[in-house]
Amino acid sequence: MALIVQKFGGTSVASTDRIKNVAKRVARWRAQGHDIILVPSAMAGETNRLIGLAREISPAPDPRELDVIASTGEQVTIGLLAMAMHAEGLKAKSFTGFQVGVLTDSTFTKARILKIDQHRIRKALADGHVVVVAGFQGADEHGNITTLGRGGSDTSAVALAAAMKADECQIYTDVDGVYTTDPRVVPEARKLDNITFEEMLEMASLGSKVLQIRSVEFAGKYKVKLRVLSSFEEEGEGTLITVEEKGNMEQPIISGIAFNRDEAKLTVLGVPDRPGIAYQILGPIADANIDVDMIIQNIGRDDTTDFSFTVNRTDYGKALAILETVKERIGARDITGDTTICKVSAVGVGMRSHPGVASKMFGALAKENINLQMISTSEIKISVVIEERYLELAVRVLHKAFGLEKPPKSKLGLTGRGETDIITPS
Ligand code: ADP
Ligand code: ASP
Ligand code: MG
């Protein structure tokens, strides 16, 4: 008997029929004696609808009130799921994040989980209930409702699994695992049996929305056994997120291609080339809570230089307004911006021991005449900023250049078999 946290994403609970299917599936797990904590998202499209309603009242909704509104989608699915399980003859109880003590900080719309109180969940489990906890939401120390950022139900599930010391956290979604790239963009993409935490972290942070980045961080930190699976297929072991095995010579050099269309580029032109200038530009951006991603400073000429960086597209207008004031202060010549860019990245821990990955990547993109506007590298990833209209082409070309559609030579995998064994309902 195991304690399993199962998260079902929006498409998996998109209709009452699908919710009934989830309940049937859970009934089979219960019949095997497993304890189950279910963490659903809102029904597909619902969170967008709710945010849209708020924007009809105000184009820049008050974040506290926005969270009150956006969090309600999950409250509907927990109730429906509990009822669907009653119909299957199961004992089940639904709880909001607040009710089970999901304590977060007060950063509305992207709050961080600080603590989860296990007592209420433990009691409900001990009473024989399937416990259904609303994903995406918590409450701060003052009892304000908070949400965890888009895709945050993944993080709710992993955090609950960590707090409850669950045997496994299963993320059920509309694909049957983590692929070498988004299978909707490259149909030849291949499902990975395993991916390391490090790689998954990079993939998530570089735009692969199959798992929210914080869920991967949590899983790595608290050693949660994390698996991505299909909510529509009963067969298959999905993808297990694993700890890297040192010295595995068979590791592929590149594990996947990630992309992100949500970025925008800002450039400050004719910046005086003197110490402290980067701080003067980026300080006010950071003070406004805007995350900066890639940064590039050109070589100075005639005592001036150009300074570019990227931010999330939702922060573009705010960042531009800040730069206008910075421009006056530092005496820069002009500000330009571009919201039609995207970022494409190649990720792989095998890159560490294999030189030449960057040149292969740049060569493949050059062949298609795709101009690289920005480049950034780390030990296990290379990212480029390109024009958005080339996104699909770039992803396809890179996927092919690194031979990702073909299975790796050895199927030794990254972990031993014992660790990949899935807990099955039958
Ligand atoms: P859910 O609503 O279940 O949370 P999401 O839409 O957030 O589902 O995430 C699943 C989607 O992530 C898939 O439908 C797929 O299009 C996308 N995706 C992006 N990159 C990948 C990848 N490398 N592997 C699998 N899916 C990916
Ligand atoms: N419902 C929330 C969203 O759409 C959280 C989630 O789906 O994980 O972002
Ligand atoms: Mg998601």
Side-chain angles (χ1 to χ4, degrees), residues 7 9-10 173-175 177-179 181-184 203 208-210:
K7 179 255 173 178
T173 183
D174 55 3
V175 283
V178 178
Y179 278 68
T181 193
D182 190 339
R184 291 180 210 289
M203 291 280 277
S208 299
K209 66 169 187 165
V210 61

Side-chain angles (χ1 to χ4, degrees), residues 18 40 53 82 91 96 165 214 264 296 304 381:
R18 288 196 179 162
L53 285 177
K91 286 174 82 176
T96 64
K165 301 199 169 40
R214 284 185 190 165
I296 197 165
T304 65
K381 73 113 203 279

Side-chain angles (χ1 to χ4, degrees), residues 172-404:
Y172 288 91
T173 183
D174 55 3
V175 283
D176 61 351
V178 178
Y179 278 68
T180 46
T181 193
D182 190 339
R184 291 180 210 289
V185 171
V186 181
E188 297 77 33
R190 196 170 38 82
K191 185 181 83 69
L192 300 164
D193 294 337
N194 308 294
I195 184 167
T196 68
F197 275 108
E198 252 187 311
E199 288 170 324
M200 194 61 240
L201 213 50
E202 286 287 358
M203 291 280 277
S205 76
L206 296 168
S208 299
K209 66 169 187 165
V210 61
L211 284 176
Q212 198 200 35
I213 179 165
R214 284 185 190 165
S215 71
V216 189
E217 282 168 3
F218 253 106
K221 189 165 169 193
Y222 295 102
K223 310 253 174 310
V224 175
K225 191 172 175 189
L226 179 63
R227 193 185 293 272
V228 177
L229 299 141
S230 165
S231 56
F232 303 123
E233 291 164 22
E234 296 270 333
E235 300 295 312
E237 298 194 352
T239 300
L240 182 69
I241 323 299
T242 61
V243 176
E244 183 184 352
E245 218 177 58
K246 295 269 182 260
N248 184 345
M249 301 305 286
E250 304 301 331
Q251 229 152 246
I253 300 169
I254 298 296
S255 294
I257 308 292
F259 56 84
N260 187 354
R261 314 174 187 269
D262 297 334
E263 296 205 14
K265 188 172 89 169
L266 294 135
T267 302
V268 191
L269 296 159
V271 178
D273 196 6
R274 60 168 190 253
I277 209 74
Y279 176 66
Q280 277 180 291
I281 294 172
L282 296 179
I285 298 282
D287 292 344
N289 236 329
I290 298 174
D291 287 329
V292 169
D293 184 19
M294 279 205 215
I295 303 170
I296 197 165
Q297 183 175 345
N298 289 342
I299 293 176
R301 209 184 322 120
D302 304 329
D303 292 333
T304 65
T305 183
D306 298 337
F307 191 95
S308 298
F309 59 95
T310 61
V311 297
N312 195 290
R313 244 179 241 184
T314 51
D315 290 325
Y316 175 72
K318 208 159 116 189
L320 199 61
I322 292 170
L323 288 188
E324 286 299 341
T325 62
V326 169
K327 179 181 133 189
E328 302 305 322
R329 208 175 314 138
I330 65 174
R333 192 172 73 244
D334 205 359
I335 310 289
T336 61
D338 190 351
T339 53
T340 60
I341 55 140
C342 68
K343 185 170 71 175
V344 178
S345 312
V347 175
V349 289
M351 211 183 273
R352 280 193 188 119
S353 48
H354 287 81
V357 176
S359 70
K360 191 170 185 171
M361 179 168 177
F362 302 158
L365 296 172
K367 231 181 181 170
E368 300 296 331
N369 251 326
I370 299 173
N371 187 38
L372 311 184
Q373 303 182 16
M374 293 170 115
I375 299 168
S376 101
T377 63
S378 80
E379 244 195 326
I380 66 161
K381 73 113 203 279
I382 301 166
S383 299
V384 295
V385 167
I386 59 171
E387 262 184 84
E388 191 183 5
R389 64 190 166 125
Y390 293 126
L391 186 141
E392 275 90 0
L393 176 64
V395 174
R396 263 185 281 130
V397 159
L398 293 177
H399 197 267
K400 194 148 183 39
F402 289 108
L404 292 178

